[in-house]
Amino acid sequence: MNTRTIEIAVGIFVAAGLAALFMLAMKVSNLATYGGDDGYLISARFDNIGGLKVRSPVSASGVRVGQVTDISYDSGGYEARVTMSIEPQYDKFPTDTAASIMTSGLLGEQFVSLEPGAEEEFLKPGNEIEITQSALVLEQIIGQFLYSQAEE
Amino acid sequence: MLLDYIQSLGRQALSALQRLGRGNLFLLQTIPAMRGMLFRPGLLIRQMFSVGVQTLLIIVVAGLFVGMVIALQSYYALVDFGAEDSVSVMVVLSLFRELSPVVTALLFAGRAGSALTAEIGLMKATEQLSGMEMMAVNPIERVIAPRFLAGFISLPLLTAIFSAVGVVGAYLVAVELLGLDAGAFWSQAKAKVDLYHDLFNGMIKSAVFGFVVVWIAVFEGYDCVPTSDGLGRATTRTVVHSSLAVLGLDFVLTALMFGDD
């Protein structure tokens, strides 16, 4: 086989490998839907975050609008502080938006759900959501149920 | 009598240690010899052809069937829970994180690694390597380094192709055969698969495997006993040792990369 054929075959091979990588990045990973850190950050405080993790989704009306970027414990207010990155095209959340931690399905993963309020002003980068609702912890609910059963 | 057994055990341990030492010295000679390819890229291209392009067919066929089989099996497992839309997530995550790097490296060790060992070993047995030294041509620079670099570059590319073909195979089974929704197939994968955490970590794995497999393959060829028997043993050792190294390293890398979630 002459050199030209070999070089063409290797060229096709390298191009196919790079094209495969590009196709995987665009079609089946979050590159296209989520371009890294260009979202704006807002934070919220919760009494209990349950099983929420960094990279958990943030959604509004069931549509994914961002992700959790940081979780820390605020020892001043004895609360968990969750920082979320919201995609830049979703910049119209009123200042009285409520954030609650929900579970998808009975035992599914946990996510932050945003419910817009009625204020005229919109949340700015760095703002904090005031109205929050903690995660439902299954053990607590079962405990309360057993306790109320025992009282009867 | 007992002392004889202990002696043979000690001899085996020492010879294994010697091989390891020779392997490391060999690597230290090979890496600086790679700069010779800056002036003769043709050597690298020719090796990329025999190591990469000629392995492509088995990788594509294996990737297609692996993707199709995981799609089918995860569909049967998930449909009971009404979660059959997550088939794509299951396929893509298992391909990116584990199956593509590992299966590609195993196939690569069997197809290309054994061929490298046999080729270099035969060159040694027919004294072509000594002949080059007589002509003041460094055989490590002329023969070993291009093969080493070609294998190291080819394996990540083959892994990417394996993943892509696997996803296409899963799409064919899930959407065309089982009638899942095409939009849900892609959007579920997009929502759950992270570019850096899943795809890039898989590619890092595959680069590590490529380095180890090709190192074992060229070293076994270079270090073999130059007889037909020794050549056969060296080829067997290449496949066995590089497969075991890939599987062992995969566990370590998985624990390092994905251990925290």
Side-chain angles (χ1 to χ4, degrees):
Chain A
M1 213 178 294
N2 66 19
T3 311
R4 184 174 160 77
T5 325
I6 287 176
E7 282 176 354
I8 290 171
V10 172
I12 291 172
F13 167 60
V14 173
L18 296 178
L21 204 58
F22 184 73
M23 172 270 199
L24 292 172
M26 295 310 283
K27 285 292 266 186
V28 290
S29 84
N30 57 0
L31 179 68
T33 50
Y34 205 77
D37 302 326
D38 59 352
Y40 64 99
L41 297 175
I42 55 175
S43 62
R45 288 162 197 273
F46 294 94
D47 288 332
N48 189 338
I49 59 163
L52 198 71
K53 289 196 278 290
V54 172
R55 287 208 306 275
S56 290
V58 176
S59 64
S61 309
V63 178
R64 189 189 163 111
V65 296
Q67 67 176 356
V68 173
T69 54
D70 185 51
I71 296 173
S72 60
Y73 182 65
D74 177 10
S75 38
Y78 305 113
E79 281 173 324
R81 186 184 161 87
V82 174
T83 309
M84 293 164 273
S85 169
I86 309 292
E87 289 176 45
Q89 70 264 37
Y90 304 115
D91 57 353
K92 299 246 182 327
F93 285 108
T95 48
D96 59 344
T97 296
S100 45
I101 297 178
M102 308 260 226
T103 309
S104 54
L106 187 59
L107 298 167
E109 65 165 356
Q110 294 194 300
F111 62 97
V112 179
S113 172
L114 298 179
E115 281 157 48
E119 286 282 335
E120 303 272 313
E121 301 250 319
F122 296 122
L123 281 172
K124 300 267 184 332
N127 280 14
E128 185 170 317
I129 293 176
E130 304 286 343
I131 312 161
T132 63
Q133 191 190 350
S134 289
L136 287 178
V137 180
L138 207 58
E139 289 89 333
Q140 277 178 3
I141 299 168
I142 294 171
Q144 282 166 3
F145 175 71
L146 290 177
Y147 190 68
S148 66
Q149 288 284 301
E151 276 188 336
E152 282 174 10
Chain B
M1 186 62 196
L2 179 69
L3 221 52
D4 285 349
Y5 282 118
I6 294 178
Q7 189 197 356
S8 81
L9 185 70
R11 189 167 57 222
Q12 277 173 15
L14 284 177
S15 85
L17 217 57
Q18 277 177 351
R19 291 177 63 75
L20 198 66
R22 283 203 302 276
N24 280 304
L25 288 176
F26 172 76
L27 186 66
L28 286 181
Q29 283 180 295
T30 307
I31 288 173
M34 281 178 189
R35 64 170 180 259
M37 266 173 299
L38 290 175
F39 310 109
R40 302 199 57 183
L43 289 175
L44 179 66
I45 302 286
R46 193 161 282 271
Q47 291 312 317
M48 289 275 291
F49 181 76
S50 67
V51 169
V53 177
Q54 295 193 324
T55 316
L56 204 53
L57 184 65
I58 189 171
I59 295 294
V60 168
V61 174
L64 189 68
F65 280 97
V66 167
M68 280 162 51
V69 165
I70 313 174
L72 205 56
Q73 292 291 5
S74 48
Y75 175 79
Y76 289 135
L78 292 170
V79 74
D80 289 346
F81 304 101
E84 64 267 28
D85 282 343
S86 300
V87 163
S88 64
V89 181
M90 184 133 173
V91 171
V92 171
L93 281 185
S94 39
L95 279 177
F96 281 7
R97 290 182 170 193
E98 301 291 339
L99 284 169
S100 295
V102 172
V103 176
T104 311
L106 293 178
L107 290 172
F108 184 81
R111 168 65 183 76
S114 57
L116 282 178
T117 306
E119 193 185 7
I120 296 171
L122 196 68
M123 282 185 177
K124 188 179 181 186
T126 53
E127 299 190 338
Q128 293 181 47
L129 295 185
S130 329
M132 282 183 191
E133 274 174 24
M134 293 299 286
M135 295 187 290
V137 175
N138 183 356
I140 290 203
E141 204 173 302
R142 183 73 172 73
V143 174
I144 305 293
R147 285 170 172 74
F148 198 107
L149 193 63
F152 181 60
I153 296 172
S154 295
L155 189 54
L157 291 173
L158 290 169
T159 303
I161 293 172
F162 186 100
S163 294
V165 174
V167 171
V168 170
Y171 176 86
L172 290 179
V173 167
V175 176
E176 305 293 335
L177 188 69
L178 298 170
L180 296 183
D181 182 51
F185 183 90
W186 297 116
S187 68
Q188 283 282 324
K190 271 187 183 171
K192 291 282 173 60
V193 179
D194 190 69
L195 179 72
Y196 298 99
H197 192 246
D198 299 315
L199 183 57
F200 283 7
N201 274 345
M203 297 314 288
I204 291 172
K205 264 189 182 182
S206 135
V208 173
F209 294 163
F211 186 82
V212 170
V213 168
V214 80
W215 178 21
I216 292 176
V218 290
F219 173 68
E220 288 292 353
Y222 190 74
D223 194 56
C224 76
V225 182
T227 59
S228 50
D229 180 48
L231 193 54
R233 277 188 213 201
T235 313
T236 311
R237 267 205 306 268
T238 293
V239 176
V240 173
H241 286 185
S242 48
S243 304
L244 290 177
V246 164
L247 295 170
L249 273 174
D250 180 52
F251 175 76
V252 176
L253 289 174
T254 301
L256 287 177
M257 288 168 173
F258 306 113
D260 57 344
D261 67 1

